[in-house]
Amino acid sequence: MTQPPSQQPPQGGGFGAPQDPQQGFPQPPAQPPAPPAGPPGQPPAQPQMPPVPPSAPQTPPPAAPQPGYGHPQQQPGQPGYGYPQLQQPGPYAQQPGPYAQQPGPYGQQQPGPYGGYPGQPQYPGAPVPGAGNGGRNPFKGKPAVLIGAAVAALLVIGGGTWFALSGDEGDPAKPDAKGSSAAPAPTGSDDVDQGDGSGGGRDAQDDLNAGRQPGEAKVEWLVTNDVDLPRNGSDVHGPWIVGDTIVKAMYKSVTGYAVADGKKKWEVPFTTEVCAAPVAPATNGTIVIGVKDGTGDKADCLQLQQIDLKTGKAGWKQTVTKGTGFSSLSDITLAISGNTVTAAGTNNSYGFSLTDGKQLFGKPTSGCQPYAFAGGPKLIAAASCPTGDYEKQQHQISEVDPTTGKPKWSYKLAPNWEVDKVYSVNPLVVSATQRKEKKWSVFALTDTGKLRSTLDGGKDKFQPNCGGSFIIFGQNLEGCVGVAADANTFYMATAPTALTNGTNDVVAFNLDTGKPKWRAAAGPQRTMTPLRMEGGNVLLYMEGSWDRGGAVATLAPTGGSPKVLLQHPASTARIESDFYSPQYAYADGRFFIASGRVSASNDEQEKQTKTMMAFGK
């Protein structure tokens, strides 16, 4: 990357060009057909992403196109699978097909930096994430590959989602004037296969653990869909693990399941659709989600609903003030830090108390306007500042007081550089893009907002996955996977390509210098994805294949070879590979896979769709 002036992040390494979605607003895709009996065909190989020069941020890497409908989730380097190819389009060229999908190497959704999970995956066949670094190379070197359309600034697929909910404060079961309601009405269980084939649309004689070999993990349970979904299916928000409960939100409900056996513990139903959720709940297990304020096409995601994920009890409701003019078209995204939940969109930002829903702060009356927040141990705001010149953009990133919304410090980027994603809040590691020059930079800031370093990736290609639900004119800063950070080191996985025979490495960067410290290889015909830190080590998902189970592993902070914690059975590898846009969770020795979107071509297939699976020792 090149070195920007003043406070701007120096560009120490090159990444690919920013991934911009196609022009126009995407329409929901048609239903995907049933999965094929065998593995999908092999897509073309992924080209090398040139690195960025050391003075200005480098261009973000594009994400690889996903296979078509009905294909199991493809893992690069797996037997029978090809390697994803990044298009090398000209400026603002379109992705393959009208709404080409985005698969691995990091097409799966995985836990966020605070133990939570990223926002929703894209619709099948939807455009790839914008400015989400899917497939970019954040380091020094040559100009990056460009991808996407000029409207990426207007239409962004982020790694999280936005919220809204409505209802009567007095009676949560009673719909309000806008038709939304919330009631913590515990209900019966989903169709659960506890390893004996009795659920999940499988034959009763089909024991999921029958083919398990010595040393392989046990399939603890498999849950199939029991929700009558709309024609185009529904995104899944979560999963979130709180104590002995794993929770996900989909369509018109939030549901908690027992981590031990997958049985439904409680359900909070709504009369309108869930439209947003944070990457992670608060440390006390409280979350605030959004549901639409109506059922028609003009319904907005402006209602907030508090839920205790430990008990399934619905709490306060609150309405987010709709923006005016251009801001009224923007979807909001949510983030939680301390006792504050933020709701932000283009030129529209608010903070609410997690305890009672009272508004703590609103958008500034003048100056820089926050458009997105990242939460967790600190509250970080990305803001757009007035310049008086429509061709000149000025962005800044700040740590803000969660109770007042006032910045504690601010760091201005070079003109026309945009805050793209926050890979880590503590330590603060930020992704920035320059759309016009198709550059990408990853830089670290100190606790006082001073430049700490800019990462130098050399000639490596990197592809963090920041995919998520459609966000119109908005931006989600959180939810990227393929990255992890501790106090002094940032870890990022390289992108597997045909040239690497489908394998990849994790590269560790010194946050004080931006230089690589070491690299660790996944091993022959394997790829690995950092999920987060776990006990001082880097927690990884080792991707499986059509005939080999995935695995949970760790890397020591000093490098070396991955240490496998759970090796999933080869006998259930096809089921593990068949989750659409999977999201991953790991807690207390159990690993969970959940579909990021549930859809089927007919009602019968819809009821047989596998939605969540658990592995244990």
Side-chain angles (χ1 to χ4, degrees):
M1 309 180 209
T2 56
Q3 173 75 43
S6 155
Q7 285 192 6
Q8 318 319 325
Q11 303 163 344
F15 304 85
Q19 181 70 42
D20 293 339
Q22 303 169 355
Q23 297 189 12
F25 298 111
Q27 298 299 318
Q31 302 267 11
Q42 176 170 358
Q46 172 177 339
Q48 173 78 26
M49 304 252 329
V52 190
S55 46
Q58 271 315 32
T59 60
Q66 289 183 338
Y69 292 113
H71 289 274
Q73 197 66 23
Q74 175 176 350
Q75 310 297 339
Q78 298 170 351
Y81 288 77
Y83 312 109
Q85 178 182 22
L86 295 179
Q87 287 266 31
Q88 296 263 26
Y92 304 119
Q94 291 192 347
Q95 299 297 321
Y99 292 111
Q101 284 180 285
Q102 233 176 210
Y106 302 110
Q108 289 90 1
Q109 299 294 323
Q110 284 138 1
Y114 315 117
Y117 293 83
Q120 308 318 309
Q122 351 171 68
Y123 290 97
V128 296
N133 303 342
R136 310 173 201 176
N137 179 358
F139 308 139
K140 209 189 272 203
K142 311 168 187 174
V145 180
L146 32 128
I147 339 172
V151 296
L154 305 182
L155 172 62
V156 177
I157 301 177
T161 43
W162 32 286
F163 319 119
L165 193 100
S166 56
D168 187 341
E169 287 286 341
D171 181 3
K174 178 182 178 181
D176 68 1
K178 293 193 176 183
S180 176
S181 66
T187 62
S189 173
D190 275 342
D191 189 5
V192 180
D193 185 339
Q194 294 179 311
D196 60 0
S198 61
R202 299 171 62 89
D203 187 281
Q205 303 303 314
D206 186 5
D207 185 348
L208 293 177
N209 289 299
R212 186 162 64 106
Q213 300 299 310
E216 291 183 333
K218 177 184 178 181
V219 178
E220 296 199 328
W221 45 266
L222 175 67
V223 174
T224 55
N225 178 50
D226 66 346
V227 178
D228 186 12
L229 297 171
R231 181 176 61 88
N232 290 313
S234 177
D235 283 337
V236 177
H237 304 258
W240 307 286
I241 299 176
V242 179
D244 61 357
T245 306
I246 182 168
V247 184
K248 63 176 183 174
M250 183 180 73
Y251 192 38
K252 295 182 179 180
S253 67
V254 178
T255 308
Y257 304 83
V259 297
D261 57 17
K263 291 183 178 179
K264 188 182 294 185
K265 297 178 65 175
W266 52 260
E267 182 174 20
V268 180
F270 306 102
T271 58
T272 58
E273 293 185 37
V274 175
C275 52
V279 167
T283 55
N284 66 358
T286 300
I287 201 168
V288 175
I289 60 122
V291 298
K292 292 186 177 181
D293 57 10
T295 57
D297 292 339
K298 295 183 178 180
D300 292 315
C301 196
L302 297 173
Q303 302 291 323
L304 305 181
Q305 172 70 63
Q306 182 211 52
I307 298 175
D308 184 341
L309 298 184
K310 300 186 298 294
T311 64
K313 181 180 179 181
W316 55 261
K317 305 175 186 68
Q318 179 62 275
T319 301
V320 177
T321 303
K322 186 174 182 177
T324 59
F326 184 77
S327 301
S328 67
L329 302 176
S330 178
D331 291 339
I332 60 169
T333 57
L334 302 183
I336 292 177
S337 181
N339 192 45
T340 299
V341 56
T342 60
T346 303
N347 199 35
N348 210 23
S349 59
Y350 299 92
F352 300 92
S353 167
L354 269 177
T355 303
D356 56 19
K358 291 182 179 178
Q359 183 175 318
L360 300 175
F361 57 85
K363 57 177 291 187
T365 55
S366 61
C368 300
Q369 297 291 327
Y371 57 83
F373 292 88
K378 298 180 180 180
L379 186 59
I380 303 298
S384 178
C385 306
T387 64
D389 182 354
Y390 75 94
E391 292 185 347
K392 178 182 178 181
Q393 297 183 28
Q394 179 65 65
H395 280 216
Q396 73 176 27
I397 191 161
S398 308
E399 180 185 351
V400 301
D401 185 330
T403 60
T404 65
K406 295 185 180 301
K408 296 182 177 181
W409 53 257
S410 296
Y411 179 91
K412 287 189 181 296
L413 278 67
N416 294 324
W417 280 88
E418 303 174 26
V419 175
D420 176 33
K421 298 291 175 184
V422 172
Y423 290 152
S424 170
V425 164
N426 189 23
L428 184 55
V429 182
V430 181
S431 167
T433 60
Q434 216 275 24
R435 295 184 186 280
K436 185 175 181 180
E437 298 182 18
K438 290 77 184 178
K439 293 181 179 179
W440 176 34
S441 177
V442 175
F443 61 96
L445 298 178
T446 66
D447 289 342
T448 58
K450 305 298 183 183
L451 183 64
R452 185 175 178 183
S453 67
T454 298
L455 302 191
D456 181 356
K459 295 182 179 180
D460 279 315
K461 296 184 301 177
F462 297 84
Q463 191 168 342
N465 176 39
C466 303
S469 296
F470 289 121
I471 300 178
I472 308 300
F473 299 132
Q475 174 75 349
N476 197 308
L477 297 183
E478 302 181 273
C480 297
V481 294
V483 295
D486 59 29
N488 301 305
T489 310
F490 180 70
Y491 308 90
M492 181 180 285
T494 62
T497 67
L499 296 177
T500 63
N501 295 319
T503 66
N504 75 332
D505 297 339
V506 167
V507 181
F509 295 91
N510 185 321
L511 284 175
D512 291 327
T513 66
K515 302 295 183 182
K517 297 166 61 175
W518 51 259
R519 64 195 303 132
Q525 295 185 325
R526 299 219 75 164
T527 59
M528 55 187 174
T529 302
L531 305 180
R532 55 178 170 83
M533 301 304 295
E534 171 83 2
N537 298 315
V538 184
L539 184 69
L540 306 167
Y541 177 61
M542 306 288 291
E543 297 175 1
S545 67
W546 197 248
D547 58 0
R548 180 184 60 206
V552 182
T554 59
L555 269 178
T558 53
S561 299
K563 178 183 178 181
V564 174
L565 303 181
L566 286 177
Q567 175 60 57
H568 302 162
S571 57
T572 56
R574 291 195 177 191
I575 298 176
E576 184 178 354
S577 299
D578 198 36
F579 284 85
Y580 178 77
S581 193
Q583 303 176 30
Y584 303 139
Y586 179 78
D588 300 325
R590 285 188 176 93
F591 188 72
F592 306 87
I593 300 178
S595 291
R597 183 171 177 83
V598 177
S599 183
S601 57
N602 56 57
D603 290 344
E604 182 178 353
Q605 289 183 352
E606 185 178 274
K607 293 294 184 179
Q608 296 176 357
T609 301
K610 300 166 183 64
T611 58
M612 194 155 53
M613 189 176 191
F615 298 91
K617 293 183 178 179

